[in-house]
Amino acid sequence: MKAWLEDLSNIEMPNEEIQHLAELYGIEFAVKLMQDFSGVLINVPKKGLIKIRNQYICKKYDGSKISRTKLAFEFDLTEGYIKQLVSTNRTKYKAA
């Protein structure tokens, strides 16, 4: 980090969003974000992690009860939900 940035505090951040990011992830992260993504609008999808989780489940599920049970336990879901999720989305996520 550049010398003139070393003594920054959260209060000196340019807006509330960057200030909040600095509080959560550190000032170095906030500065790096501003350097690398200056002028870029970033949209964080509300259900992004759910999509990633569903892709993972569909790829890992092999059709067996053991597989379904392990995935249900790993994600704190019911076996029925795993079965329904895979049957509805398997072709969607299989090639992904």
Side-chain angles (χ1 to χ4, degrees), residues 15-96:
N15 62 36
E16 287 182 31
E17 290 85 3
I18 299 295
Q19 182 177 346
H20 190 64
L21 288 170
E23 289 169 1
L24 289 173
Y25 304 110
I27 291 173
E28 277 190 53
F29 173 82
V31 169
K32 185 82 172 133
L33 189 68
M34 288 186 287
Q35 288 173 338
D36 295 346
F37 291 92
S38 176
V40 175
L41 258 164
I42 298 174
N43 177 16
V44 180
K46 187 173 185 175
K47 295 185 179 184
L49 284 176
I50 291 173
K51 182 177 180 180
I52 293 168
R53 178 202 69 187
N54 291 351
Q55 286 177 318
Y56 177 87
I57 290 170
C58 289
K59 287 179 182 178
K60 295 295 181 181
Y61 182 57
D62 64 10
S64 70
K65 170 126 174 91
I66 291 172
S67 172
R68 189 170 58 242
T69 302
K70 284 181 180 179
L71 288 165
F73 182 75
E74 182 178 351
F75 292 101
D76 196 26
L77 300 168
T78 65
E79 287 183 53
Y81 182 81
I82 298 289
K83 198 172 183 177
Q84 177 188 8
L85 173 75
V86 171
S87 109
T88 305
N89 295 298
R90 186 148 216 168
T91 55
K92 178 179 174 182
Y93 293 132
K94 195 172 192 174

